[in-house]
Amino acid sequence: MPSSLSIAYRDFYYKSDAETLSQDLNLPHFQLNTPLKKHSEFDYLLLLTDEGLSIAKTGKSAPNPVSVDFVSGAVAHRRVFGGGKGQDIAKAIGLNKRSNLSVLDGTAGLGRDAFVFASLGCDVVMLERVPFVRALLKNGLLRASLSEDISGIIHRMTFLDGDISGQTENKYDVVYLDPMYPHIEKSAAVKKEMAFFRELIGFDDDADYLLEHAKKIASYRVVVKRPKGAPYLNNEPPTYQVEGKSGRFDVYVNKTLD
């Protein structure tokens, strides 16, 4: 957890929530009385507002805060217009062969891919090992569970503390991995959001071990999302690949989906 990160709230109403989060994450907290662009004490803030919890960069060039939002924006658009089970990601996990898969998302991040799986009928368990990202994800799930439009989808999404190494007793049809990789994105939208994560947590330099463990707990397959040109995890070629516009999905088959 970087020392340049703190918890902030504007409205006194959120002081209690900030105190609880401060204890959970072992971070300082304070009431923010200046615009983000004028704040200079901390580089990043976990910001509590009426819109929920977000991660915000401070300083003169501060972009808009980023939160986990399943109800509106890009995620909602993808749910309606994303292509359903015809999407590359859906084919990669095997939804063209079987419905109602159980999926473990071992690197949940902002939860966007997990939401796609759940919206297509999968039961999804999510893991995220970075504490402040876990806080963002939990807050996003809580807010989304109150939406009549998608509460049914959210109920198929379960969040667990810990990381994939703690999953020794459970088996899942599919284990999905999307480890952070140090590459350059061309999309302006991706730059804005992923810059927060790359600057704050870097990349998963131990990602190779994820594949080895994932294969032990996947009944049918492990799917690894990779940028174009990225090496295979653990230098292990997949059984096959599903190529997308901006990246690929490496599929490691343990057993055929009937």
Side-chain angles (χ1 to χ4, degrees):
M1 187 72 66
S3 59
S4 60
L5 178 64
S6 181
I7 297 162
Y9 60 96
R10 294 192 185 279
D11 192 323
F12 190 79
Y13 175 81
Y14 293 105
K15 181 180 179 182
S16 177
D17 291 337
E19 290 174 344
T20 300
L21 196 58
S22 176
Q23 292 178 353
D24 291 344
L25 300 182
N26 193 27
L27 289 172
H29 68 281
F30 67 99
Q31 186 168 12
L32 180 66
N33 296 313
T34 60
L36 289 172
K37 293 182 183 295
K38 293 185 178 182
H39 181 80
S40 59
E41 183 177 359
F42 295 98
D43 294 330
Y44 300 93
L45 300 176
L46 276 172
L47 189 60
L48 282 159
T49 67
D50 290 342
E51 286 73 41
L53 184 67
S54 61
I55 184 76
K57 190 172 184 177
T58 64
K60 293 181 179 179
S61 60
N64 292 328
V66 175
S67 63
V68 174
D69 183 6
F70 298 116
V71 180
S72 60
V75 175
H77 185 273
R78 185 177 179 185
R79 174 173 62 90
V80 178
F81 302 107
K85 293 183 179 180
Q87 299 175 73
D88 292 332
I89 193 172
K91 294 175 182 177
I93 69 166
L95 283 173
N96 56 329
K97 299 179 181 293
R98 181 187 290 188
S99 300
N100 304 319
L101 294 169
S102 63
V103 180
L104 173 68
D105 186 341
T107 53
L110 294 174
R112 290 181 172 181
D113 289 340
F115 183 79
V116 171
F117 302 146
S119 69
L120 297 176
C122 299
D123 291 317
V124 186
V125 172
M126 297 172 291
L127 300 172
E128 173 51 55
R129 58 184 174 176
V130 179
F132 82 86
V133 183
R134 288 202 301 265
L136 289 168
L137 186 53
K138 288 180 180 179
N139 184 265
L141 287 167
L142 176 62
R143 287 183 284 107
S145 69
L146 304 177
S147 168
E148 292 184 4
D149 291 340
I150 63 169
S151 61
I153 297 173
I154 300 301
H155 288 156
R156 290 195 289 271
M157 301 171 69
T158 302
F159 185 84
L160 297 180
D161 288 325
D163 63 21
I164 197 171
S165 64
Q167 295 294 303
T168 57
E169 302 294 328
N170 299 321
K171 277 277 191 176
Y172 303 90
D173 293 332
V174 179
V175 177
Y176 178 78
L177 301 173
D178 180 15
M180 292 290 287
Y181 180 72
H183 64 289
I184 299 174
E185 295 282 2
K186 295 181 180 180
S187 165
V190 171
K191 280 184 180 180
K192 179 187 70 172
E193 293 188 358
M194 297 309 291
F196 284 122
F197 287 80
R198 293 197 177 111
E199 291 174 10
L200 283 167
I201 64 177
F203 62 94
D204 293 313
D205 53 3
D206 60 348
D208 286 345
Y209 107 93
L210 296 174
L211 177 61
E212 180 180 357
H213 196 83
K215 290 172 70 175
K216 295 177 182 177
I217 58 176
S219 296
Y220 293 98
R221 62 178 62 183
V222 176
V223 178
V224 182
K225 185 178 181 179
R226 300 298 273 165
K228 285 186 176 180
Y232 302 133
L233 282 193
N234 208 27
N235 292 317
E236 185 174 341
T239 309
Y240 68 93
Q241 296 178 316
V242 177
E243 295 284 351
K245 291 181 179 180
S246 59
R248 69 175 196 267
F249 299 96
D250 295 342
V251 182
Y252 299 84
V253 176
N254 283 342
K255 186 169 62 174
T256 304
L257 276 166
D258 299 323

